């Protein structure tokens, strides 16, 4: 039996408020616990999106009533909310700027809007961006003008990881995350997955892009799932929304890579706990750990997952390593496939005390 620190997932879509048929704070945080994740940061592209005090309250009310693990909520940038979100910054996981098209209405098309947020958002509170290809190069440049640290979400392509490497070599304040699906899948998997199910942003890339991520592992600060649940009916429908659920499959995939000596255990702990905590200035969770049976070999099957998405792009994959028990703040929260804490057990780690 192996004991790991509680994992921290910087990139999770909870779908509440607005689309709880895909996921709510309870189903999403059960999936987190089942994956050994004890702290999730929730993205703001809900309905309504989290862009001001009122929508933040709506999301945090749901989280306070339902969450089973600890959490914080991102704010989303719009062309006209820079002052409003800067005011709310201490209560947020961070600010998310969507700079390319993806799921939901949040997108900052105009680079002058990025500049306004870079000028206003506090440097010591995380700023995360969805920026692909040339957009990624552009936002690194603009962030450097303001000397503002920037965290690059779900890096997926060779040119991106090489730009980040070059930016770091120059001393620029950039950090990045990579998802399990961009490490373990490529566009070659699209036919088997089916076109609709394979939809995800950033899209699955070429095998050479995927290899470049593995070849530049030292440039990757964090692993984050981008857990983006949509139902199977939606994925198989005429307008399939992009996104994969990932919370329950990430650690088993990483541990399998450890057993194959493609990663070390320390690579995983650094990127799925240590660096997320440091970069996002998250408090440590006392008496919090995950017990893993590293010898257990099992087959990923959607029917056993707790996410409401009820499907996985890794269906049928044989993996090695199973989460047996999760202890959060001294309480046994998950054991042998069952959640043992009540809704509302989770704490907002950005709660302003007093
Ligand atoms: O595939 C994706 N799905 N990429 C995103 O950036 C958003 C996410 C979602 O919210 O479904
Ligand atoms: Zn994104
Ligand atoms: Zn996302």
């Amino acid at each position: 039996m192996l004991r790991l620190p509680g994992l921290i997932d910087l990139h999770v879509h909870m779908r509440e408020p607005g689309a709880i048929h895909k996921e709510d704070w309870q189903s999403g945080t059960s999936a987190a616990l089942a994956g050994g994740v004890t702290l999730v940061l929730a993205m703001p592209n809900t309905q309504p999106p989290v862009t001001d005090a009122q929508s933040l309250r709506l999301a945090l009310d749901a989280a306070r009533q339902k969450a089973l693990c600890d959490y914080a909520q991102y704010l989303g940038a719009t062309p006209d909310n820079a002052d409003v979100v800067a005011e709310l910054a201490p209560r947020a996981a961070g600010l998310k700027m969507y700079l390319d098209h993806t799921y939901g209405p949040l997108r900052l098309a105009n680079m002058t809007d990025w500049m306004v947020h870079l000028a206003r958002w506090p440097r010591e509170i995380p700023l995360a961006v969805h920026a692909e290809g040339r957009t990624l190069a552009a936002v690194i440049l603009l962030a450097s003008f303001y000397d503002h640290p920037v965290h690059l979400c779900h890096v997926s392509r060779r040119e991106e990881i090489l730009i980040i490497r070059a930016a770091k070599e120059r001393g620029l304040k950039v950090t990045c995350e990579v998802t399990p699906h961009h490490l373990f899948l490529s566009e070659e998997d699209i036919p088997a997955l089916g076109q609709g199910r394979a939809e995800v942003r950033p899209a699955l890339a070429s095998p050479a892009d995927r290899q470049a991520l593995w070849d530049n592992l030292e440039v990757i600060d964090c692993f984050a799932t981008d857990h983006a649940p949509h139902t199977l009916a939606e994925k198989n429908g005429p307008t399939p929304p992009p996104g994969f659920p990932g919370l329950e499959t990430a650690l088993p995939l990483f541990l399998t890579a450890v057993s194959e000596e493609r990663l070390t255990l320390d690579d995983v702990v650094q990127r799925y706990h240590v660096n997320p905590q440091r970069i996002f200035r998250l408090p440590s969770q006392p008496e919090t750990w995950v017990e893993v049976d590293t010898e257990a070999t099992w087959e990923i099957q959607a029917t056993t997952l707790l996410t409401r998405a009820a499907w996985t792009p890794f269906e049928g994959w044989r993996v090695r390593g199973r989460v047996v028990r999760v202890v959060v703040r001294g309480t046994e929260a998950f054991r042998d496939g069952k959640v043992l804490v009540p809704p509302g057990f989770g704490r907002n780690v950005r709660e302003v005390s007093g």
Side-chain angles (χ1 to χ4, degrees):
M1 203 66 78
L2 170 73
R3 193 187 266 217
L4 297 174
L7 302 173
I8 301 173
D9 202 318
L10 298 174
H11 195 142
V12 172
H13 296 268
M14 284 298 177
R15 309 304 189 201
E16 185 171 14
I20 62 173
H21 67 286
K22 296 175 193 275
E23 200 80 290
D24 71 1
W25 273 93
Q26 188 173 340
S27 61
T29 51
S30 346
L33 287 176
V37 172
T38 57
L39 173 50
V40 292
L41 304 192
M43 283 293 162
N45 62 337
T46 46
Q47 298 164 31
V50 180
T51 56
D52 58 16
Q54 198 188 345
S55 48
L56 179 61
R57 193 171 319 117
L58 208 59
L60 289 180
D61 277 349
R64 181 163 32 78
Q65 289 168 34
K66 296 190 182 177
L68 303 160
C69 70
D70 294 345
Y71 60 90
Q73 171 67 52
Y74 284 92
L75 290 157
T78 71
D80 52 19
N81 75 350
D83 287 327
V84 168
V85 289
E87 189 77 25
L88 296 168
R91 294 166 54 194
L95 179 68
K96 178 73 181 285
M97 300 205 299
Y98 288 90
L99 309 181
D100 287 305
H101 267 300
T102 178
Y103 183 71
L106 292 173
R107 181 168 177 247
L108 287 185
N110 196 320
M111 283 195 276
T112 56
D113 294 332
W114 315 0
M115 290 164 74
V116 174
H117 280 285
L118 285 164
R120 300 270 210 294
W121 185 257
R123 280 196 185 82
E124 65 281 3
I125 303 183
L127 197 170
V129 296
H130 181 129
E132 302 184 32
R134 292 175 186 206
T135 309
L136 179 135
V139 74
I140 290 175
L141 178 71
L142 294 198
S144 78
F145 292 168
Y146 294 87
D147 192 30
H148 204 306
V150 61
H151 178 76
L152 304 153
C153 295
H154 45 49
V155 171
S156 65
R157 297 210 288 269
R158 180 171 179 271
E159 64 175 9
E160 296 169 353
I161 199 70
L162 294 182
I163 288 168
I164 294 166
R165 174 182 279 282
K168 287 184 172 188
E169 283 167 5
R170 279 230 141 201
L172 299 183
K173 295 170 183 161
V174 300
T175 53
C176 70
E177 69 188 33
V178 171
T179 69
H181 50 273
H182 292 115
L183 284 169
F184 294 102
L185 298 172
S186 77
E187 60 195 11
E188 290 187 338
D189 296 297
I190 296 174
L193 281 169
Q195 203 54 255
R197 293 194 205 192
E199 279 294 341
V200 66
R201 296 291 174 278
L204 295 179
S206 70
D209 286 318
R210 177 181 55 189
Q211 189 56 44
L213 300 177
W214 287 96
D215 292 343
N216 290 276
L217 202 61
E218 71 276 15
V219 181
I220 301 171
D221 301 282
C222 304
F223 294 148
T225 57
D226 196 1
H227 177 83
H230 300 284
T231 65
L232 201 47
E234 291 164 336
K235 296 294 284 183
N236 289 339
T239 52
F244 298 158
L247 279 167
E248 292 163 88
T249 45
L251 182 62
L253 289 167
F254 293 138
L255 291 174
T256 305
V258 170
S259 77
E260 293 164 352
E261 299 185 357
R262 303 177 73 197
L263 288 174
T264 67
L265 203 50
D266 189 55
D267 287 335
V268 180
V269 172
Q270 291 296 322
R271 286 165 185 75
Y272 213 7
H273 172 80
V274 175
N275 294 340
Q277 187 177 76
R278 174 178 50 81
I279 294 166
F280 276 64
R281 301 182 191 227
L282 298 164
S284 69
Q285 297 171 286
E287 290 184 77
T288 297
W289 70 85
V290 180
E291 291 171 22
V292 173
D293 180 351
T294 50
E295 297 304 309
T297 303
W298 57 288
E299 186 175 312
I300 295 176
Q301 286 173 332
T303 52
T304 67
L305 302 180
L306 302 182
T307 174
R308 209 163 274 168
W311 76 283
T312 164
F314 301 105
E315 183 74 34
W317 284 42
R318 279 203 82 72
V319 287
R320 188 177 176 134
R322 185 193 277 283
V323 173
V324 173
R325 182 167 180 257
V326 181
V327 176
V328 179
R329 290 180 273 103
T331 298
E332 188 171 66
F334 179 89
R335 184 178 200 134
D336 297 329
K338 297 249 177 321
V339 173
L340 302 175
V341 286
F345 172 79
R347 290 278 165 266
N348 180 357
V349 299
R350 296 286 205 236
E351 191 90 47
V352 190
S353 52

